[in-house]
Amino acid sequence: MLEDSYDKNKVIECMFDPTTSEILAELENGGKESIHLAKISKISEEEVRERLSYLLEHKFILEKKENEKIIYSADTNKLAEVMEKEGNFDSAMDGLAKMDSYLN
């Protein structure tokens, strides 16, 4: 099996963008409609897709249509793998803790 050729730094950059990380947090517990993601992140559905585009392109985020609604879901194993493979897990957790303290 050929490994997907994605830019690991770009994936990590996407994950730590404050708006995108909020969307990803929503997807941790399963698929969500794009309209819901747009509401919680206070951006348009088009911007939700734009922010997730790189992650969609490389199958970190999956998109499906159900009854005219767009549902996004995360491949949490694949996202976690990037962090672990790159040895970025500790720095990622530190980054999340800093972001969390900033948001609260």
Side-chain angles (χ1 to χ4, degrees):
M1 183 175 111
L2 286 175
E3 187 170 324
D4 189 11
S5 59
Y6 55 84
D7 180 339
K8 291 167 185 68
N9 290 329
K10 181 130 174 84
V11 171
I12 291 165
E13 187 180 301
C14 290
M15 291 171 72
F16 290 104
D17 170 80
T19 302
T20 308
S21 67
E22 184 177 25
I23 292 168
L24 292 173
E26 280 293 305
L27 297 177
E28 281 179 4
N29 300 318
K32 299 283 187 299
E33 288 182 32
S34 63
I35 194 157
H36 169 76
L37 297 172
K39 281 181 189 172
I40 61 114
S41 53
K42 299 175 181 68
I43 59 175
S44 68
E45 286 183 79
E46 292 78 23
E47 191 173 343
V48 168
R49 188 172 203 304
E50 196 175 294
R51 287 177 174 274
L52 296 177
S53 64
Y54 193 80
L55 299 174
L56 283 161
E57 180 183 338
H58 296 284
K59 308 280 188 266
F60 289 96
I61 301 293
L62 307 173
E63 176 183 50
K64 66 179 177 178
K65 281 197 174 175
E66 263 180 30
N67 304 322
E68 301 303 311
K69 294 175 184 171
I70 298 171
I71 310 288
Y72 292 111
S73 58
D75 184 337
T76 51
N77 291 335
K78 190 170 178 178
L79 287 167
E81 222 174 81
V82 170
M83 303 307 286
E84 290 166 9
K85 271 187 189 172
E86 291 304 299
N88 287 323
F89 194 71
D90 289 336
S91 62
M93 294 311 290
D94 291 344
L96 283 175
K98 285 178 188 168
M99 189 182 336
D100 189 48
S101 66
Y102 172 76
L103 293 172
N104 293 326

